[in-house]
Amino acid sequence: MAAVRVEEVLAAAEEREAERRRSVTVEKELELEFDLGNLLALDRNPPAAAAGLRGAGPRREALLRALARDNAQLLVARLWELPAERAGGAGGPVVARLPEPAFRLPREKPPPRPRPPTRWEQFARLKGIRRRKRTSLVWDEQAKEWRRRWGYRRAGGDPARAWLAEVPAGAHPEEDQFARLRREKRERVARNELNRLRNLARAHRAGPAAPLHPTGHQSREELGRAARVARLSTASLGRFQPRLPKEPPELPSRGGAGRKRRFEPLLGNLEAERSRQLELLRDMGSKKPALDITRAVNKQMRQEDAKAAAAKGKKQSQRGKRWRRQQRVGRSGKRSGARRQQQQQHRPAGSSSGDGKRKKA
Amino acid sequence: RPKTKRAKRFLEKREPKLKENTKTAMLIKGGNANLTVTEVLKDIYAVKKPFAVLYKKKNITRPFEDQTSLEFFSKKSDCSLFLFGSHNKKRPNNLIIGRMFDYHVLDMIELGIENFVSLKDVKNSKCPEGTKPMLIFAGDMFDVSEEYRRLKSLLIDFFRGPSVPSIRLAGLEYVLHFTAVGGKIYMRSYKVLLKKSGCKIPRIELEEMGPSLDLVMRRTHLASDDLYKLSLKEPKALKPKKKKNISHDVFGTTYGRIHMQKQDLGKLQTRKMKGLKKRPAEKSAEDGGVSPKKSKSA
């Protein structure tokens, strides 16, 4: 008896659950496609009551509203399944975390081009200098508190503090030191500004790289450039391409590029030939060496520096984030001072024994 | 070159960025816009606020013939979507919806308004301004025909609103439903009422709210395929970074790979079994007679 009762109770509970679920379930032939990042639902089913929709009037509105209700129910059901959390602490509203929008929509503007590196950035890359993160607060000894590095009430920036300006050893005794400091600051600011503008000009000069496919709004120069590139993209690099009647003939190779590609006539310019021969004799007779040693050595050093920096960077990135963090902490930590002292103590002891060993051998 | 911080911020807002601003729309009246068209523009402005600009004066241009005027407006107001309304005998109640790429026209679709019910004609409560709407497209025409597909993309772009990482579930109040049937597109807006149901998911009831439009597609000016592909291109930096050595399988399990150096299995630290401990005599025998202790010199 009891067993049958239990079964009945369970069946009744299931019935009730199904009843409840029925109010929120919707039957559809084809599943809807959802893009929850955009709150979007796409229903591919051909609208069922197409005939009813053709006739105008309240019947059509009712049909449209029923269709909309079903689709909206499915979309809301999906949204409710997303992971929900409470925004702004325990008492805040319940928010659902949306995924990234999946539907590809065209951009407003083309993606930004990377700007060319500034002179400092090039140098830093060459030498392998990395950016160190600076703390925003600095300890101010005089005020005995933590102050900003720059800005309102900065550490050491109060003009009333600099009440004394020493006359340096080699300066004129009657020169105004304060005026000198002010002038030097103005010069520094001006130089900084000049360099900034130069970097900006360099970035602008590198200019918008014109696309080589037709965009519908290209200028005459861009079209000319595209035509030139198209001409050069043949197997013979454009030497045998037919030209339009008024198009200029092939330009000679630009710059001094290709000393071997200069085909000048033999008996043309006597003056040029004479000057060339004299220059040749002059160079042969001069005592100056043809190879500039300093420049060559500098170039070699630059190349080696760049290679070393690249290798160091690669090794660092191979060793991973934790290793890098350890290196940084080890160098700037509180223990480094003590460690440096230890090293200094050990080194004299070690070096003397080392010297002793070397002398014996 | 900007002389003030404000001007600099203004220019920075307009330059191309990795993650772009929400697209704004400009709503323009043509030379002979009638009452219906003006009302439509005003209602769409109410829906799209604050990401829309409604121009009050009439502008005598023909977008399908000459696009320079539109491009000029787009550049001035930094809007990439537009809606141009006009009316003449040949094309009554005309609405041109379009979008721009790099301040040049990308796509333009001309729609005719057959039936229009305005916001103020429907006497129901409205939802607050700036609500992100839920968009639903019904009908297989939106996938079959290329023009309808572009129209779907345009409408999503137009009504999407800002892209947000999370949304308040109780604030989902607005639904825009587009049905393509019988050569027409029915746009309806409803206010969502969340009713109690037995389970966690609420039951939805819809209340007719905002503007309803019955549209018919007329002319189109779609961008060429390669220009469209160019506009869809995303910069690499936006792609989510793939974590190395992590993989997922079909059932949702996450697998990780750890790379180890070669281990000498003879020297592994296993559990200490006291019985197997080497006695000192055995160890010295193994070493070949060399005892670890040094012999003391006299």
Side-chain angles (χ1 to χ4, degrees):
Chain A
M1 269 298 271
V4 174
R5 268 269 174 79
V6 165
E7 274 175 20
E8 274 177 26
V9 166
L10 283 175
E14 259 188 59
E15 257 295 316
R16 255 178 287 137
E17 184 63 42
E19 181 72 43
R20 262 184 248 151
R21 280 256 156 202
R22 225 171 289 155
S23 64
V24 289
T25 45
V26 174
E27 284 294 320
K28 284 272 182 185
E29 267 177 24
L30 267 173
E31 278 295 313
L32 264 61
E33 249 184 49
F34 294 100
D35 177 11
L36 298 173
N38 280 324
L39 299 182
L40 176 67
L42 302 168
D43 182 8
R44 292 229 159 85
N45 301 305
L53 284 167
R54 235 160 262 156
R59 185 141 179 274
R60 185 166 73 184
E61 295 303 313
L63 283 168
L64 284 173
R65 189 201 287 227
L67 179 63
R69 196 219 79 81
D70 289 341
N71 287 334
Q73 179 75 68
L74 287 166
L75 180 56
V76 166
R78 272 301 180 96
L79 284 168
W80 244 257
E81 279 168 23
L82 285 173
E85 55 197 23
R86 277 208 169 265
V94 181
V95 285
R97 182 150 282 268
L98 292 175
E100 288 286 322
F103 197 84
R104 288 275 295 272
L105 288 165
R107 281 177 66 102
E108 203 176 28
K109 295 169 188 137
R113 275 170 308 111
R115 44 181 182 69
T118 61
R119 266 178 77 88
W120 167 253
E121 279 175 6
Q122 282 169 357
F123 179 76
R125 206 188 304 157
L126 186 65
K127 289 283 184 183
I129 301 171
R130 273 153 200 268
R131 184 159 172 70
R132 270 180 224 281
K133 206 159 161 126
R134 292 169 140 185
T135 58
S136 50
L137 295 175
V138 189
W139 177 251
D140 190 356
E141 256 318 306
Q142 241 185 37
K144 300 265 188 303
E145 63 171 3
W146 287 98
R147 287 258 184 99
R148 289 160 218 247
R149 190 185 285 274
W150 48 268
Y152 181 59
R153 284 200 199 149
R154 55 177 166 279
D158 197 7
R161 276 207 217 171
W163 55 272
L164 175 72
E166 283 184 15
V167 179
H172 187 89
E174 283 176 32
E175 191 189 350
D176 185 0
Q177 296 302 319
F178 292 110
R180 183 182 59 93
L181 289 171
R182 276 200 303 267
R183 190 183 62 235
E184 285 185 349
K185 181 160 176 86
R186 244 180 292 142
E187 281 170 8
R188 266 181 280 141
V189 167
R191 194 182 333 133
N192 198 5
E193 181 68 22
L194 180 70
N195 284 331
R196 187 184 74 89
L197 290 175
R198 263 203 228 140
N199 282 330
L200 224 69
R202 197 176 302 121
H204 264 269
R205 207 188 333 135
L212 289 173
H213 58 261
T215 57
H217 43 90
Q218 283 166 306
S219 69
R220 193 202 154 112
E221 291 86 31
E222 288 175 346
L223 288 172
R225 205 182 309 156
R228 219 178 308 138
V229 174
R231 153 167 279 115
L232 283 181
S233 341
T234 56
S236 348
L237 300 180
R239 282 201 69 189
F240 306 110
Q241 290 300 102
R243 291 194 162 256
L244 290 174
K246 288 212 181 137
E247 216 175 342
E250 174 152 335
L251 291 156
S253 26
R254 25 193 209 300
R259 293 193 75 114
K260 298 180 182 172
R261 288 275 156 269
R262 275 200 220 140
F263 301 120
E264 281 153 32
L266 281 175
L267 301 171
N269 199 348
L270 283 178
E271 280 295 323
E273 192 177 341
R274 185 158 167 260
S275 59
R276 223 182 313 131
Q277 304 281 12
L278 285 174
E279 212 181 288
L280 185 66
L281 286 170
R282 189 162 38 89
D283 279 342
M284 285 195 332
S286 78
K287 301 280 198 303
K288 207 167 65 158
L291 177 68
D292 189 0
I293 299 288
T294 18
R295 279 189 75 179
V297 167
N298 283 341
K299 189 168 175 185
Q300 180 75 11
M301 284 193 341
R302 262 208 311 277
Q303 280 179 359
E304 282 175 357
D305 270 341
K307 218 187 288 181
K312 180 174 164 201
K314 208 167 92 166
K315 205 160 62 158
Q316 282 192 351
S317 65
Q318 255 182 15
R319 294 239 176 107
K321 200 169 31 172
R322 191 169 283 175
W323 182 86
R324 270 180 268 150
R325 205 182 291 148
Q326 268 180 12
Q327 298 302 99
R328 206 171 0 117
V329 168
R331 222 167 334 157
S332 67
K334 306 166 211 159
R335 296 184 233 128
S336 65
R339 208 184 291 157
R340 243 180 258 136
Q341 282 184 9
Q342 270 185 12
Q343 279 182 357
Q344 282 181 0
Q345 280 176 11
H346 278 231
R347 221 182 288 134
S351 63
S352 60
S353 69
D355 284 345
K357 273 203 176 138
R358 243 177 275 145
K359 276 185 192 153
K360 266 196 189 162
Chain B
R1 196 183 70 79
K3 290 205 168 65
T4 52
K5 281 257 164 67
R6 186 155 175 243
K8 189 171 163 206
R9 267 181 273 141
F10 178 85
L11 286 175
E12 272 179 6
K13 190 162 147 243
R14 297 194 172 205
E15 65 182 15
K17 294 180 214 154
L18 274 182
K19 186 170 189 321
E20 293 189 315
N21 308 332
T22 316
K23 289 195 185 182
T24 39
M26 43 188 188
L27 310 167
I28 315 172
K29 290 200 282 190
N32 42 8
N34 60 357
L35 189 65
T36 326
V37 156
T38 328
E39 291 287 310
V40 169
L41 289 176
K42 272 211 273 210
D43 279 355
I44 305 264
Y45 176 62
V47 168
K48 268 278 301 183
K49 269 208 267 203
F51 297 105
V53 221
L54 176 68
Y55 285 120
K56 288 196 194 142
K57 294 235 169 100
K58 294 193 181 175
N59 295 290
I60 308 176
T61 36
R62 298 209 175 105
F64 270 86
E65 273 92 51
D66 175 30
Q67 286 131 26
T68 42
S69 171
L70 280 174
E71 294 177 357
F72 172 73
F73 282 138
S74 160
K75 223 182 198 143
K76 276 287 171 180
S77 59
D78 191 31
C79 291
S80 50
L81 302 163
F82 67 87
L83 198 58
F84 182 89
S86 65
H87 171 84
N88 48 20
K89 209 150 95 172
K90 190 166 172 198
R91 294 175 229 277
N93 296 331
N94 206 15
L95 207 62
I96 304 179
I97 182 168
R99 63 184 155 200
M100 311 279 215
F101 177 67
D102 197 18
Y103 303 126
H104 294 281
V105 167
L106 184 65
D107 287 334
M108 267 198 306
I109 298 183
E110 194 175 50
L111 302 160
I113 308 169
E114 307 245 302
N115 208 7
F116 171 58
V117 178
S118 157
L119 267 172
K120 49 186 195 303
D121 289 341
V122 178
K123 308 260 187 285
N124 283 335
S125 61
K126 318 281 181 207
C127 65
E129 186 181 287
T131 332
K132 192 167 157 85
M134 295 193 274
L135 301 161
I136 307 178
F137 287 82
D140 48 348
M141 276 299 279
F142 278 124
D143 287 303
V144 161
S145 158
E146 174 66 32
E147 304 195 328
Y148 274 78
R149 243 179 293 155
R150 284 288 179 93
L151 178 65
K152 179 174 76 173
S153 163
L154 241 178
L155 290 168
I156 296 174
D157 221 352
F158 205 90
F159 290 109
R160 180 162 71 138
S163 219
V164 285
S166 52
I167 191 159
R168 191 170 138 256
L169 289 171
L172 290 166
E173 292 175 342
Y174 194 35
V175 167
L176 277 170
H177 191 266
F178 298 89
T179 323
V181 77
K184 295 210 193 147
I185 302 155
Y186 301 101
M187 172 180 139
R188 299 283 179 271
S189 340
Y190 301 103
K191 186 169 153 72
V192 171
L193 304 163
L194 305 162
K195 294 277 165 64
K196 257 192 192 316
S197 78
C199 52
K200 212 166 57 140
I201 303 170
R203 184 174 162 79
I204 301 285
E205 289 298 330
L206 296 179
E207 203 185 303
E208 175 97 30
M209 181 190 97
S212 327
L213 291 166
D214 294 353
L215 302 162
V216 150
M217 190 153 3
R218 290 181 187 158
R219 293 182 290 179
T220 57
H221 176 277
L222 304 176
S224 59
D225 269 337
D226 47 323
L227 183 57
Y228 194 63
K229 254 193 233 160
L230 185 71
S231 67
L232 283 175
K233 223 194 243 193
E234 295 280 335
K236 268 218 193 114
L238 277 181
K239 267 192 254 178
K241 268 200 183 247
K242 195 168 180 247
K243 261 195 134 175
K244 282 174 112 172
N245 297 323
I246 293 180
S247 60
H248 302 266
D249 76 346
V250 190
F251 303 105
T253 325
T254 315
Y255 292 101
R257 286 184 102 137
I258 307 175
H259 298 269
M260 295 279 300
Q261 294 163 335
K262 206 168 155 87
Q263 282 178 311
D264 186 6
L265 294 170
K267 292 203 166 65
L268 271 182
Q269 169 85 318
T270 50
R271 279 164 62 193
K272 294 184 182 161
M273 304 235 165
K274 209 160 165 191
L276 297 174
K277 202 153 80 166
K278 286 206 169 109
R279 304 252 173 67
E282 277 181 10
K283 222 202 267 181
S284 60
E286 213 181 65
D287 282 349
V290 179
S291 56
K293 286 197 185 149
K294 261 199 220 153
S295 55
K296 287 190 188 156
S297 53

